Amino acid sequence: MSNKTSRIALYLGFFGGGGIERITANLAHGFVKSGIKIDLLHYDRESPHLWRLPSETRIIPLKASTVYQTLPGIVSYLRREPPCALLSASHYMNEISVLAKIISGSQTRLIVAEHNQLSKTTRNATKLKDRLSPLASRLLYPWADGIVAVSDGVAKDLAQTAHLPLDKIQTIYNPVITKEMLANAAEPVDHPWLTEKKCPVILGVGKLEAQKDFPNLIRAFAKIRAMQEARLIILGWGPDRPQLEALIKELNLENDVDLPGYTQNPYAYMANASVFVLSSAWEGLPTVLIEAMALGSPVVSTDCESGPSEILAGGKYGHLVPVGDSNALADAILQVFAGNSKSVDSSWLDQFTLETATQKYLSILGVDPKIKICN
């Protein structure tokens, strides 16, 4: 493959507004700026956030309704026009990508990336395919040319859960900090609580599901609200919204908690909030925590596995509290309100920039942007 023009394929089934999609889009922009051609393989033609990708991206629909039905399409693609490298960015797509490479006999370099803790996914699984994920990873991942984890915690968890050698897994932090993110943060924020600033405003961002543990944040806020005036905004959509609304009503917080839903520009909210709070029960590498920190918002986070402690240097750059402890979460937020926030060394943030991640991914993908050919 030493004479093949540099072209990287990215495989992500549904291109929605989640964290993995934003990270994939950021990487695509980084690759294009490096002179690399990009293909996106996906199976959902109605993906609403394809606009995030560079205009140069070639979209290749796989004409399938589920991830497993994409296998023939990827095999055909790898046989018909094999790229330099294929980067798969989600667990089940990783499994399909490995099978596609084996079946196709392609020499394309395949890199699989894990964004979450496999053990937690398995432990909370209700479907057979989820419970079998560690076995599938143990059997299939050794066939990949490289394995990426988005944090050291995810790498260790994957190694332990799937019985893979830790030295075969490379940690590359997500490309979170971009010029576009900083520009979006400077735009006017569309929420009266943040424009009027009559009292401190707490911000949470994430999918409304069990992993993010927003009930913990709401209960912590109830304790704060009993002591002083404050407000809470939680941005995001998800299946747990009815339960969260019921809890807010139960705690008589309807006038002080807002669930605006999904927003395309959470960065303006982060830049104007009094404190950003991550209340998760578990994570991989919580992108929103890095974003808030980079935008100058004081941060409070649960010390969940994994990511927050790595991001905050063990608590040096933000408050860390035990998972599920609403009293400790409330106390940490009150410390920030009292002026006890922690400043961040700008050099610490360099490891989370698009430029750093792009170079590390190009290296493991075996693509040399200087000569525009595969290594």
Side-chain angles (χ1 to χ4, degrees):
M1 297 179 64
S2 60
N3 294 319
K4 182 178 287 294
T5 301
S6 296
R7 181 161 50 91
I8 295 173
L10 306 173
Y11 174 38
L12 191 62
F14 173 77
F15 212 92
I20 294 178
E21 291 93 331
R22 294 201 308 274
I23 293 308
T24 301
N26 286 349
L27 270 180
H29 280 280
F31 293 156
V32 168
K33 288 177 182 177
S34 298
I36 311 299
K37 296 180 179 179
I38 298 295
D39 290 347
L40 175 76
L41 311 179
H42 80 124
Y43 64 82
D44 191 320
R45 294 184 179 183
E46 303 302 320
S47 290
H49 287 263
L50 292 175
W51 58 267
R52 293 184 181 276
L53 292 162
S55 58
E56 298 89 344
T57 305
R58 184 173 67 151
I59 308 297
I60 301 179
L62 297 170
K63 299 180 180 179
S65 58
T66 69
V67 62
Y68 300 104
Q69 293 173 358
T70 63
L71 180 59
I74 299 176
V75 170
S76 175
Y77 168 77
L78 291 176
R79 286 174 173 170
R80 182 178 67 252
E81 44 185 334
C84 279
L86 170 62
L87 174 62
S88 178
S90 186
H91 179 79
Y92 297 111
M93 286 116 199
N94 294 345
E95 296 177 6
I96 296 299
S97 296
V98 174
L99 289 171
K101 178 173 179 176
I102 294 172
I103 295 170
S104 68
S106 172
Q107 295 302 305
T108 289
R109 184 170 176 81
L110 171 62
I111 305 300
V112 296
E114 280 287 348
H115 285 255
N116 242 315
Q117 286 201 311
L118 186 61
S119 65
K120 298 296 190 298
T121 303
T122 304
R123 190 177 307 159
N124 293 276
T126 58
K127 297 180 180 179
L128 180 61
K129 68 180 180 67
D130 298 326
R131 294 196 295 270
L132 292 177
S133 291
L135 176 60
S137 300
R138 182 179 184 181
L139 295 175
L140 294 175
Y141 280 18
W143 290 87
D145 298 290
I147 306 171
V148 169
V150 298
S151 71
D152 290 337
V154 169
K156 293 174 182 176
D157 181 80
L158 177 60
Q160 293 171 358
T161 305
H163 303 287
L164 296 169
L166 182 58
D167 60 3
K168 298 296 184 183
I169 305 171
Q170 179 177 339
T171 295
I172 302 179
Y173 290 136
N174 285 333
V176 175
I177 303 172
T178 67
K179 293 179 181 178
E180 291 76 15
M181 182 198 79
L182 299 175
N184 287 335
E187 293 182 358
V189 63
D190 186 23
H191 199 291
W193 292 355
L194 292 170
T195 54
E196 297 169 1
K197 297 185 177 179
K198 293 182 178 179
C199 63
V201 178
I202 303 163
L203 178 66
V205 179
K207 189 174 181 180
L208 308 183
E209 61 181 358
Q211 178 183 352
K212 305 304 179 182
D213 198 6
F214 285 124
N216 180 29
L217 176 55
I218 293 170
R219 291 190 180 95
F221 177 73
K223 299 177 189 299
I224 293 169
R225 191 63 188 85
M227 300 173 64
Q228 70 167 80
E229 189 176 6
R231 285 168 170 165
L232 170 64
I233 300 172
I234 300 176
L235 299 177
W237 59 274
D240 288 357
R241 184 183 182 101
Q243 295 94 310
L244 297 179
E245 290 175 334
L247 179 60
I248 291 167
K249 185 176 182 180
E250 176 188 335
L251 297 174
N252 298 314
L253 297 172
E254 296 99 320
N255 295 327
D256 297 307
V257 180
D258 189 24
L259 306 178
Y262 175 82
T263 176
Q264 290 186 6
N265 185 14
Y267 314 116
Y269 285 76
M270 294 176 182
N272 287 278
S274 304
V275 58
F276 178 85
V277 180
L278 184 87
S279 54
S280 298
W282 75 91
E283 283 286 353
L285 187 79
T287 297
V288 290
L289 190 60
I290 300 170
E291 292 167 340
M293 185 170 65
L295 295 174
S297 178
V299 296
V300 172
S301 175
T302 52
D303 192 12
C304 65
E305 297 182 276
S306 62
S309 184
E310 287 182 52
I311 293 170
L312 300 179
K316 181 179 179 181
Y317 298 127
H319 295 271
L320 289 168
V321 302
V323 172
D325 190 335
S326 58
N327 288 319
L329 193 61
D331 289 344
I333 295 170
L334 288 170
Q335 286 188 48
V336 173
F337 287 175
N340 298 320
S341 58
K342 303 183 180 184
S343 60
V344 181
D345 186 341
S346 59
S347 63
W348 176 256
L349 297 172
D350 290 343
Q351 61 191 322
F352 305 115
T353 63
L354 175 59
E355 292 76 16
T356 298
T358 297
Q359 293 308 310
K360 289 187 175 182
Y361 268 101
L362 287 176
S363 177
I364 195 171
L365 287 164
V367 177
D368 189 336
K370 294 181 180 178
I371 58 177
K372 304 295 187 297
I373 60 174
C374 304
N375 292 327

